[in-house]
Amino acid sequence: MNHSVYYDKCNIVLGECTKALQAVDPVIVSDYIELLKNAEKVFFVGVGRVLLSLKAICKRYAHLGIHAVVVGDITEPAMTDKDVLIVGSGSGNTLFPVAIAKKAKQIGATVIHIGSNPENNMTECTDLFVRIPVASKLKRADEIQSLQPMTSLFEQTLLLFGDITAMMLLEEGNSEIVDLWQYHANLE
């Protein structure tokens, strides 16, 4: 096997992720951080690989002391108007996340949509749209194209966005990384 093939693919993925993350509006990111800091609980909903990225973000935010919940978990508490729902959906048209977003809005919660398509079925119930303008199944002209299969770039940048914002929240909370271990699972 030619080892340079591996390094070539690494450069493609890392380059695409960097380009996509740098295309996210930092003013919107600041608004996102403020909504999280003021929330009583933060709920996450998505499907497929997007849900896997959201679960990782949820866990990391929990390490920051945020009451973070994945919609549908057996221990999911009731949502209130003091809470935030983060919806991960590239298209913004996926049935389950759209239905949950509408329900959360009826409850009075703040709805944040992280996606790539600004013209979607959640616009009416979204308080903040964080756009990661990457290639989607919609093939919009202004999307960052990817050499990766399907919507891999969205799922990767979503996960990295979560880690970047976790660092921002940590810094704004004046916490030390060593202090986070108190929130880490200890039944290992």
Side-chain angles (χ1 to χ4, degrees):
M1 180 177 121
N2 182 349
H3 298 297
S4 67
V5 172
Y6 171 75
Y7 295 118
D8 290 343
K9 301 308 177 206
C10 285
N11 290 332
I12 288 169
V13 171
L14 294 173
E16 288 180 359
C17 286
T18 298
K19 186 175 180 181
L21 289 164
Q22 289 178 344
V24 175
D25 184 342
V27 172
I28 298 294
V29 176
S30 293
D31 294 343
Y32 173 88
I33 296 293
E34 285 306 309
L35 289 173
L36 294 185
K37 287 174 23 182
N38 294 317
E40 196 169 279
K41 296 183 293 295
V42 179
F43 291 76
F44 294 82
V45 67
V47 298
R49 286 171 44 111
V50 169
L51 178 58
L52 295 176
S53 294
L54 290 172
K55 284 184 174 185
I57 297 168
C58 182
K59 180 68 173 176
R60 182 60 70 224
Y61 286 179
H63 288 151
L64 300 177
I66 293 171
H67 188 167
V69 180
V70 174
V71 171
D73 276 359
I74 194 72
T75 57
E76 178 187 347
M79 176 176 267
T80 73
D81 60 359
K82 295 176 181 68
D83 299 329
V84 167
L85 173 69
I86 297 175
V87 180
S89 175
S91 70
N93 298 326
T94 308
L95 293 176
F96 179 66
V98 170
I100 296 298
K102 288 179 179 178
K103 178 67 175 179
K105 198 66 193 163
Q106 288 172 356
I107 293 169
T110 300
V111 177
I112 299 172
H113 172 206
I114 305 173
S116 60
N117 175 25
E119 298 166 9
N120 59 71
N121 292 334
M122 286 196 306
T123 304
E124 66 200 40
C125 65
T126 300
D127 296 290
L128 182 69
F129 178 60
V130 180
R131 184 168 190 226
I132 301 174
V134 299
S136 71
K137 54 190 167 191
L138 301 173
K139 308 289 186 223
R140 292 176 48 93
D142 64 344
E143 294 175 344
I144 295 169
Q145 296 306 307
S146 176
L147 297 175
Q148 300 180 65
M150 302 174 78
T151 57
S152 293
L153 183 56
F154 178 71
E155 296 131 16
Q156 292 159 350
T157 52
L158 176 60
L159 174 63
L160 293 171
F161 176 81
D163 283 338
I164 291 164
T165 54
M167 289 177 69
M168 293 171 72
L169 286 161
L170 180 63
E171 188 174 285
E172 286 195 20
N174 296 318
S175 299
E176 297 293 326
I177 291 177
V178 69
D179 296 334
L180 303 183
W181 288 103
Q182 67 181 315
Y183 300 112
H184 194 279
N186 61 3
L187 294 177
E188 309 177 301

